[in-house]
Structure formats: C-alpha cells, structure tokens
Amino acid sequence: MIRMIRFLMVLFFPFLMSSTSCENNNDSVPDWEWDENEDEEKDKPRILWIDAAANFVDFANNKENIFRDMQLAKDVGFTSVVVDVRPTTGDVLFKTDVAEQVKWLGAWLDKGYSKVERTATWDYLQAFIDVGEEVGLDVYAGINTFVGGNSTSLGDQGVLFRDKDKKEWATYLLTESGVKSTMEVGGTGAKFFNPVREDVQNYICDMLEDLASYDGLKGIILDRGRFDELDSDFSDYTKNEFEEYLGYSVENFPEGVMVEGTTPGHLPSSTPEYFKKWLEFRAKVIHDFFEKAAARVKAVNPELKFGVYVGGWYSTYYGVGVNWASPEYNTASEFPTWATSEYKNYGYADIMDVILIGAYASPTKVYGTAEWTIQGFCSQAKRKIKGAAMVIGGPDVGNGAWATASNDVTNDAITQSVEAVLDVCDGYFLFDMIHLKKKDQWDAVKEGIGKVITPEEGK
C-alpha cells in the first residue's frame, strides 16, 4: 500500500526504468548564444539529470550522441549534468573492481519495453567527463546507493540475484504475513540492501572511492541513500542494532516498533511505544553512513563536491529514514507527532556540499510557499537546511501529471519553474534529460533561463 501511495505522489526515480526513451530527431544543434553579463542569478548552477536506463538507447554505445545532447544542454543554459552511473540494477557504468559492469538496461522503445545492450568497451563515465570539458559542462556522477538489484519483465539483474553470499544483505520488510526478505516478496522494481549493515556500507564506500578517483569529475550525488520504505528494515540484524542504540532489549519486536500497514502522513492517533525512537534510530543510521561516505570520498579527492538527491516532501520523508535538514533545525518543534527531541541531531545537511531537492509538484503548481508546489518545496528546503549546504531544486518534467498535461501547459511550467526556483534557493535542477528530448522542450528551458539571466531583454 505504501508503495502505491508513493507512486501516486510523485513517480520517483525508478519509474524511469520504464520511462519512454526515444532517439532525438534533431540532427543539428540549434545556434543558441547567451549574452555574457554580471547578473547575480547567472552564477547559480543549473543542473540536468541524465538517467541511465531512460537515455541508454542513445548513449550506451554512441559518443556522438553524448556530444550532441551535452551540447544542447549547454546551449540552453545548463551549467552541469548529473550522469547516472549506477542504475537501479546496482551494476555500474564506471571503472571499479567492486561491482559488475552494466550489460543491458530496460527502456521503452518504439517496439515496446526492450533490452538495450551495451557492447561498447569505452568508459561510459569518462566519455561524459571528456565531452563536458569540451562543451563547458561540469559533470557529476550519480549513483543509486542502497540498491542491489532490479526485477522487470525483462529479467532480474544485480548482485542480490547473482551472489548467494550476499543473500542477507537484502532488506527485510514488515508484511501482512510477517517479516520477509525483499527477495521473497517478489514483484518488480528495485531490490534494496539493508542500509544498517556495516558490510553493505563498506561495499558502497569502496565503490565510491573508485568513483572519486576520476580526474575531471566535479562531484558525486547519491540517490536512494535511504531505506526502502517505512516497512524496511525489520531483520534480526537491525533489531540487534536498534537494541544496542537503546541500551536495552525490545521484547515485543516488531509490534512494539510499528504496526504493519503504517504509512507516512497517515499515522494512527496512537503509535507503538518505540515508534518515534525507531524513526530516530533510522535517521541516525543514514546520517552516520553519509558521514562515513563523505570521509572516504574526500580522502581520495578533497575538491570533489559531495551531495545527495532527496524528495522535497520533508513532512513525510521520515518514511525512508532520512533527515536531510540541518541539525540546527528542530524537527520536533514542527512535527511532534513523529519526531523526538533528538531527531534533529541526525540532520545530515552539514555533511553535504550540495543537496538536490526533488520539487516534484504538478505543472499547475509552480508558485507557492508550501510543499507540493515547485517553489514551495524549494523555499521550505532552504528554511530547513539553514545554509548548511547548497540547495538546488527543481521539477520532474515527465512523470505524474506532467505525463498527461498538454505540451503548452508543461512548456509554460518548465519556463516558469526556473525563475520560481532560483528566486528562493541556490540553483536549479531538472529531471530528466529524456523528457526534454522526448517532447523537444529544450526551448522551454532556454526561455526560462534566459528570463532569469537577462530579464531586461526577456530572453
């Protein structure tokens, strides 16, 4: 049930594993030029996300297509891209001995949902870094952090399916029929690791060290640096760690922690004895992992920007065990129903150089001050992060209501979103390149950026 609610809310990143991917029909790059000026907003970063699976048909084996679309991104006014190099399969598109290379990904083609195989041997991430240097775009590497596999109609992929020695790494879910491994529950989608496990954390950090060694890389952005959902993780391993955190045993586990079917934003009037302490513990787990991961990355390259992607819906984001606010923000003062007085101690914003905020409101909700408006998501995040990290927010322009709205509506919303975001935070973020390509909406972004950069000229 919780997954259905979340699906209806935003259609988060894994949806792009089944998003429509298409070839760009624009064979030539428009001759767009930008006026150089000293406007303050011009210095704010404008970041475009490049999902691996959705764009794989174009980029898996073709450097020319990488150049074509990176040049487009530069010409419309983006300053940076985040290249997804560890998709939800958990395999990788960069050099490392820790994980296997991606061999194929699923994408929507004209013939339907199909495998796109990678036959090229050149370094996928390095190709983007090289092109970025050529066209003038900073390149960040994005990874799906705590995923170990993915199941689709095309088959199962990832280390959780391949390596029996890592069977216990899978997260254990609280289900109607008791606590079960995510591998037993079945269904399609990403299969999560248990973030509490030290061996899982070390596995990810080893991978991050290899990623941090890339010369020319601007930074690393961690997506899915979280628990699967509120029903995760209820393994014996996590129970023992929770008890160690408390300093005493919990006799009635999991009933004393959470009732099955509990969903973020719809908590019962009375929750179990340890529920709020459980949320606090989960936030600490993720906080401490990021502290460890940042140290490992910075030890390799202290100049790298270390950051994270999160959903902007802070009021219910406790469901995935994450407190992305500053530790100076007193969560309990605003959300006493679920936050303890200690919950704020595990805000991890001060660990980050940059936080990308998914401001995933509908195209008719661009302006506002509250959650579920694009601008409101960003201004609320800015308030909670309190200057501890750069706050860069923006819309998903292809999923949810964006997928069914007319092109006129979405074009206007894209254009308006640039100003709406940059007026309240430190940079602009758009998800995903595939949507701009699919509907040829590059001009809508260009117009929005132009209005901010050169407002006196309106372009």
Side-chain angles (χ1 to χ4, degrees), residues 47-52 55 59 66 70 80-87 93-94 124-129 132 138-144 211 217 219-221 432-433:
I47 301 177
L48 178 63
W49 193 284
I50 304 175
D51 179 81
N55 295 279
F59 299 151
I66 294 174
M70 291 276 278
S80 315
V81 295
V82 177
V83 182
D84 176 13
V85 293
R86 187 173 188 254
L93 289 160
F94 62 95
Y124 184 87
L125 174 58
Q126 190 62 54
F128 278 93
I129 293 172
D138 290 333
V139 174
Y140 293 78
I143 73 162
N144 284 275
L211 190 54
L217 188 66
I220 296 174
I221 304 294
D432 178 274
M433 177 185 274

Side-chain angles (χ1 to χ4, degrees), residues 36-54:
E36 298 295 329
N37 56 68
E38 298 300 319
D39 288 340
E40 179 182 341
E41 304 291 6
K42 185 177 176 61
D43 294 330
K44 291 186 176 182
R46 300 173 295 275
I47 301 177
L48 178 63
W49 193 284
I50 304 175
D51 179 81

Side-chain angles (χ1 to χ4, degrees), residues 359 361-362 364-381 416-417 419-421 423-424:
S362 79
T364 59
K365 300 289 185 180
V366 175
Y367 294 99
T369 58
E371 288 187 357
W372 300 109
T373 65
I374 293 172
Q375 188 177 55
F377 272 135
C378 296
S379 62
Q380 289 290 325
Q416 294 167 5
S417 72
E419 180 181 39
V421 170
D423 274 354
V424 296

Side-chain angles (χ1 to χ4, degrees), residues 42-300:
K42 185 177 176 61
D43 294 330
K44 291 186 176 182
R46 300 173 295 275
I47 301 177
L48 178 63
W49 193 284
I50 304 175
D51 179 81
N55 295 279
F56 213 50
V57 65
D58 285 336
F59 299 151
N61 305 300
N62 194 316
K63 290 183 179 181
E64 288 75 18
N65 286 350
I66 294 174
F67 178 85
R68 177 197 67 195
D69 292 344
M70 291 276 278
Q71 185 67 66
L72 276 168
K74 172 65 176 180
D75 289 342
V76 302
F78 287 106
T79 62
S80 315
V81 295
V82 177
V83 182
D84 176 13
V85 293
R86 187 173 188 254
T88 52
T89 65
D91 296 330
V92 298
L93 289 160
F94 62 95
K95 288 184 178 179
T96 179
D97 294 328
V98 179
E100 290 193 14
Q101 294 292 310
V102 169
K103 296 180 176 64
W104 62 269
L105 293 174
W108 283 98
L109 309 179
D110 291 340
K111 60 183 178 181
Y113 191 57
S114 307
K115 287 184 179 181
V116 179
E117 295 184 357
R118 182 154 204 259
T119 57
T121 57
W122 41 266
D123 188 325
Y124 184 87
L125 174 58
Q126 190 62 54
F128 278 93
I129 293 172
D130 292 343
V131 172
E133 291 177 348
E134 186 173 355
V135 304
L137 285 173
D138 290 333
V139 174
Y140 293 78
I143 73 162
N144 284 275
T145 310
F146 286 120
V147 294
N150 192 59
S151 182
T152 71
S153 60
L154 301 174
D156 301 327
Q157 297 171 277
V159 68
L160 285 177
F161 290 101
R162 287 192 301 263
D163 191 343
K164 293 181 179 179
D165 292 338
K166 294 181 173 58
K167 177 182 177 181
E168 292 303 311
W169 287 16
T171 192
Y172 278 70
L173 309 176
L174 181 59
T175 75
E176 291 181 355
S177 53
V179 175
K180 291 187 175 182
S181 168
T182 186
M183 308 302 286
E184 298 176 285
V185 171
T188 59
K191 299 295 184 181
F192 271 69
F193 291 137
N194 175 7
V196 183
R197 294 185 66 98
E198 186 176 3
D199 43 11
V200 166
Q201 294 187 12
N202 289 336
Y203 174 78
I204 300 301
C205 286
D206 289 345
M207 203 181 301
L208 289 172
E209 283 188 343
D210 291 338
L211 190 54
S213 68
Y214 271 77
D215 187 37
L217 188 66
K218 179 73 171 180
I220 296 174
I221 304 294
L222 277 66
D223 183 17
R224 290 192 174 88
R226 56 178 177 80
F227 287 82
D228 188 357
E229 295 286 358
L230 189 57
D231 57 2
S232 164
D233 176 273
F234 286 85
S235 64
D236 289 341
Y237 185 101
T238 297
K239 175 182 181 290
N240 292 335
E241 291 297 312
F242 180 51
E243 290 175 335
E244 184 173 334
Y245 177 67
L246 292 176
Y248 51 85
S249 297
V250 177
E251 299 300 328
N252 56 334
F253 185 91
E255 293 82 5
V257 168
M258 194 179 83
V259 176
E260 189 277 326
T262 303
T263 59
H266 300 278
L267 299 179
S269 56
S270 177
T271 54
E273 178 181 2
Y274 299 107
F275 179 70
K276 290 170 69 172
K277 209 64 181 173
W278 177 253
L279 299 185
E280 176 191 311
F281 162 73
R282 293 165 95 232
K284 181 182 187 300
V285 167
I286 300 302
H287 170 277
D288 291 356
F289 164 74
F290 274 122
E291 201 167 50
K292 180 193 301 184
R296 294 278 291 271
V297 166
K298 297 288 188 175
V300 176

Side-chain angles (χ1 to χ4, degrees), residues 276-277 280 329-333 339-345:
K276 290 170 69 172
K277 209 64 181 173
E280 176 191 311
Y329 169 71
N330 186 358
T331 310
S333 67
T340 65
S341 59
E342 289 80 25
Y343 188 89
K344 68 179 181 61
N345 299 337

